[in-house]
Amino acid sequence: AIQTEGCNPGVITVNVLTDSPDDRCPTSCSIRAALARANPGDEIQFDVVGTIKLAQGGLMVDKDLTITGPGRE
């Protein structure tokens, strides 16, 4: 979701359950990579179901985002 000020929010899709520093959206988009790439107002969606094990520690959400997931299994 690359945007400039005044543009509509983007959607970033998480498509892997990994938490690797090599994850890059959109090819291998982890929740950590999605959060790093997101701009304020974007939406993060999930195209995977399962458990995400955070190998690199906790996540920081420091901007206004909508995170939409499939819910608890």
Side-chain angles (χ1 to χ4, degrees):
I2 299 172
Q3 59 181 278
T4 59
E5 190 173 330
C7 290
N8 292 330
V11 175
I12 301 170
T13 302
V14 173
N15 57 18
V16 296
L17 296 173
T18 59
D19 185 26
S20 166
D22 298 327
D23 290 337
R24 299 285 185 267
C25 301
T27 306
S28 178
C29 193
S30 66
I31 183 61
R32 189 175 306 278
L35 286 168
R37 181 174 178 180
N39 292 305
D42 283 353
E43 179 176 358
I44 296 175
Q45 299 178 347
F46 290 80
D47 191 25
V48 292
V49 175
T51 301
I52 299 171
K53 294 184 180 182
L54 300 177
Q56 300 182 61
L59 298 171
M60 173 67 74
V61 180
D62 59 355
K63 48 198 141 192
D64 182 25
L65 301 170
T66 300
I67 300 176
T68 307
R72 188 177 198 138
E73 291 185 343

